């Protein structure tokens, strides 16, 4: 029977159903057990009590506001002003401790914004983890963003934590993602939480739309590819199963496109029998508008996942990687040039050009940018400067944006 007058989990509902099924089988009434009763058991096993799990998503800055309110209430100072190492040490100590921080969301006075976040965690603790999927942290920039969510779940009374999926969205966050996850894997509490208070695997969400807006489509695609390679390698080294969650948009500029080709182009080892991907509202009808389209969509996804899992693609060659790095740099530089007007060069000494960019005047690029090319230096504005072929031309003719 369930807890009180109702069933609160799928397991509670399954117990009497399975008992009836086994009893009918033992009494020689298997034909009854194999009918509607077995169908009901399969439905409960497949869909539970809630049909579809709901992800919870919140921006990392909101969690920092909550932690700042808690540390200020405890007289520990401003959490937001602490260095990352200090945050990690304090969060780890509190996660390992058995005592509560403030004794629940009603134990101290806070702003409505902080109260809203605390009430969300209190609801998760009250309802239980079964109706929920992942807790996605938007704009994850550091390991402390992840540990803070786990501490808030512990503080609000979640006996079983939701899996926490850091969402790396900008180009810089994608570049730092492997380092962020490595720090977490080496953390004393985080390492032992797999399979105990949390699931036995790590989920990481990758942002396509924001990274494309941040660095352009070409750079975004290449940074996403490299981030996945490093995350897979790191998870294999640590022995932690990894599930990648692709936050694709509907349009090509937001990571959209043919499903089969998108999955087939993922790095080797990043698709191992499972995949999560967002289906944006503007393309839901084209994917699932009719029964026939739904069948085709599921067929494409399942075929691509099977092929990528059983026959993963080969790793790119060194020459391909070098070419992509060069094109990534030029794509970033060209995007920056087209956003602002090039007014000249402050200096070109030591093989490095210093760009002078300003926003005044119409967005017109009226000069040929060849100074950096002659020096053989990539004018990349988003990372370390790289030597590039002397024949490369950034902008060969005037263009009005």
């Amino acid at each position: 029977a369930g807890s009180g007058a109702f069933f609160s989990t799928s397991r509670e509902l399954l117990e009497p159903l399975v008992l009836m099924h086994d009893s009918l089988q033992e009494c020689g009434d298997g034909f009854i057990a194999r009918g509607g009763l077995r169908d009901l058991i399969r439905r409960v096993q497949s869909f539970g009590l809630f049909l579809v799990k709901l992800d919870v998503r919140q921006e990392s800055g909101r969690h920092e506001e909550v932690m700042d309110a808690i540390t200020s209430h405890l007289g520990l100072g401003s959490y937001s002003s602490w260095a990352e190492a200090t945050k990690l040490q304090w969060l780890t100590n509190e996660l390992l401790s058995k005592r509560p921080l403030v004794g629940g969301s009603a134990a101290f006075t806070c702003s409505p914004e902080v109260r809203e976040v605390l009430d969300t965690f209190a609801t998760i603790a009250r309802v239980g983890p079964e109706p929920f999927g992942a807790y996605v942290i938007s704009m994850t920039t550091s390991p402390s963003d992840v540990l803070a969510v786990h501490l808030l779940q512990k503080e609000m009374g979640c006996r079983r934590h939701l899996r926490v999926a850091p969402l790396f969205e900008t180009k810089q966050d994608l570049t730092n993602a492997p380092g962020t996850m490595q720090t977490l894997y080496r953390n004393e509490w985080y390492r032992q939480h797999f399979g105990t208070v949390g699931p036995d695997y790590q989920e990481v969400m990758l942002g396509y739309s924001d990274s494309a807006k941040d660095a352009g489509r070409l750079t975004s695609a290449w940074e996403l590819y490299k981030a996945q390679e490093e995350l897979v390698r790191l998870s294999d080294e640590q022995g932690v199963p990894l599930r990648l969650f692709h936050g694709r948009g509907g349009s090509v500029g937001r990571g959209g496109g043919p499903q089969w080709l998108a999955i087939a182009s993922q790095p080797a080892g990043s698709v191992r029998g499972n995949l999560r991907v967002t289906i944006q509202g503007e393309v839901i009808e084209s994917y699932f508008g009719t029964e026939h389209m739904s069948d085709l969509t599921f067929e494409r996804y399942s075929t691509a996942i099977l092929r990528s899992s059983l026959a993963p693609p080969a790793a790119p060659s060194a020459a391909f990687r070098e070419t992509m790095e060069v094109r990534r740099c030029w794509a970033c530089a060209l995007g920056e040039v087209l956003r602002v007007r090039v007014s000249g060069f402050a200096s070109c000494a030591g093989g490095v050009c210093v760009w002078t960019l300003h926003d005044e005047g119409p967005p017109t690029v009226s000069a040929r940018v060849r100074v950096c090319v002659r020096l053989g230096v990539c004018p990349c504005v988003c990372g370390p400067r790289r030597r590039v072929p002397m024949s490369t031309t950034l902008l060969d003719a005037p263009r009005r944006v």
Side-chain angles (χ1 to χ4, degrees):
S3 302
F6 59 91
F7 294 106
S8 59
T9 66
S10 300
R11 176 174 293 183
E12 292 177 351
L13 176 58
L14 277 173
E15 287 179 358
L17 295 177
V18 172
L19 180 62
M20 287 186 286
H21 178 274
D22 294 344
S23 177
L24 288 170
Q25 291 278 30
E26 293 173 1
C27 294
D29 293 325
F31 70 96
I32 299 177
R34 292 187 295 271
L37 179 58
R38 181 171 294 181
D39 291 341
L40 178 58
I41 291 175
R42 286 171 175 168
R43 290 191 187 99
V44 175
Q45 291 173 334
S46 300
F47 306 111
L49 294 177
F50 306 97
L51 184 62
V52 177
K53 291 182 179 292
L54 178 68
D55 281 355
V56 183
R57 180 166 169 171
Q58 185 58 271
E59 198 262 331
S60 60
R62 297 290 300 276
H63 303 134
E64 184 168 316
E65 291 177 9
V66 176
M67 301 312 301
D68 193 85
I70 291 176
T71 56
S72 298
H73 172 76
L74 296 175
L76 301 176
S78 174
Y79 176 88
S80 301
S81 65
W82 294 355
E84 177 65 15
T86 304
K87 292 179 181 179
L88 287 174
Q89 187 61 58
W90 183 77
L91 291 168
T92 303
N93 292 340
E94 293 302 327
L95 284 165
L96 292 171
S97 174
K98 295 183 179 181
R99 63 172 175 79
L101 273 174
V102 293
S105 62
F108 71 105
T109 303
C110 58
S111 67
E113 292 77 15
V114 171
R115 178 69 58 197
E116 179 187 27
V117 176
L118 291 174
D119 288 346
T120 299
F121 284 102
T123 300
I124 294 172
R126 184 175 67 255
V127 176
E130 188 172 348
F132 301 104
Y135 193 106
V136 180
I137 309 174
S138 301
M139 299 302 295
T140 300
T141 60
S142 60
S144 62
D145 293 337
V146 178
L147 292 184
V149 171
H150 280 292
L151 180 57
L152 289 173
Q153 290 192 76
K154 171 179 176 286
E155 179 64 17
M156 293 298 107
C158 297
R159 288 177 293 180
R160 185 76 178 179
H161 290 197
L162 302 186
R163 66 181 187 273
V164 177
L167 169 52
F168 300 104
E169 300 185 72
T170 67
K171 174 193 173 295
Q172 191 60 49
D173 292 339
L174 287 170
T175 303
N176 297 337
T180 298
M181 295 310 304
Q182 184 175 46
T183 300
L184 287 171
Y185 289 150
R186 291 176 176 176
N187 181 268
E188 179 183 1
W189 181 89
Y190 198 80
R191 179 68 189 182
Q192 57 87 27
H193 98 283
F194 291 110
T196 53
V197 297
D200 57 359
Y201 65 93
Q202 176 65 53
E203 184 169 303
V204 173
M205 188 172 181
L206 305 171
Y208 285 68
S209 178
D210 283 352
S211 60
K213 290 184 291 185
D214 182 40
R217 286 170 50 193
L218 178 65
T219 302
S220 170
W222 184 234
E223 292 298 330
L224 283 162
Y225 190 94
K226 292 191 297 180
Q228 290 179 75
E229 280 189 319
E230 286 300 304
L231 288 171
V232 169
R233 180 192 61 79
L234 181 61
S235 295
D236 288 346
E237 287 180 357
Q238 299 295 327
V240 179
L242 175 68
R243 175 190 289 176
L244 293 174
F245 184 5
H246 299 269
R248 295 181 179 273
S251 64
V252 175
R254 300 180 61 205
Q259 308 102 315
W260 193 93
L261 291 175
I263 297 173
S265 65
Q266 302 305 312
S270 62
V271 182
R272 292 174 175 170
N274 64 75
L275 178 79
R276 288 199 78 193
V277 62
T278 54
I279 304 294
Q280 297 292 336
E282 65 266 28
V283 296
I284 286 180
E285 185 175 358
S286 61
Y287 287 176
F288 304 104
T290 65
E291 183 178 351
H292 175 65
M293 288 303 301
S294 298
D295 291 341
L296 285 177
T297 298
F298 282 118
E299 182 179 345
R300 288 171 185 149
Y301 274 112
S302 58
T303 303
I305 291 173
L306 284 171
R307 177 166 180 172
S308 297
S309 300
L310 299 176
S317 65
F320 178 84
R321 292 181 184 277
E322 179 63 22
T323 299
M324 287 301 298
E325 287 296 328
V326 171
R327 293 184 177 181
R328 174 191 69 84
C329 288
W330 281 118
C332 284
L334 180 58
E336 194 69 18
V337 169
L338 294 178
R339 278 195 291 267
V340 293
R341 182 181 176 186
V342 180
S343 63
F345 298 93
S347 64
C348 286
V352 177
C353 291
V354 179
W355 288 50
T356 302
L357 306 174
H358 61 80
D359 295 322
E360 292 81 13
T364 304
V365 179
S366 59
R368 296 185 178 185
V369 184
R370 294 182 178 275
V371 179
C372 286
V373 175
R374 286 200 297 271
L375 292 173
V377 178
C378 170
C380 182
V381 296
C382 64
R385 297 181 182 273
R386 300 173 52 82
R387 288 281 168 181
V388 298
M390 298 294 286
S391 60
T392 304
T393 302
L394 174 63
L395 194 62
D396 198 38
R399 175 178 300 184
R400 178 170 294 276
V401 180

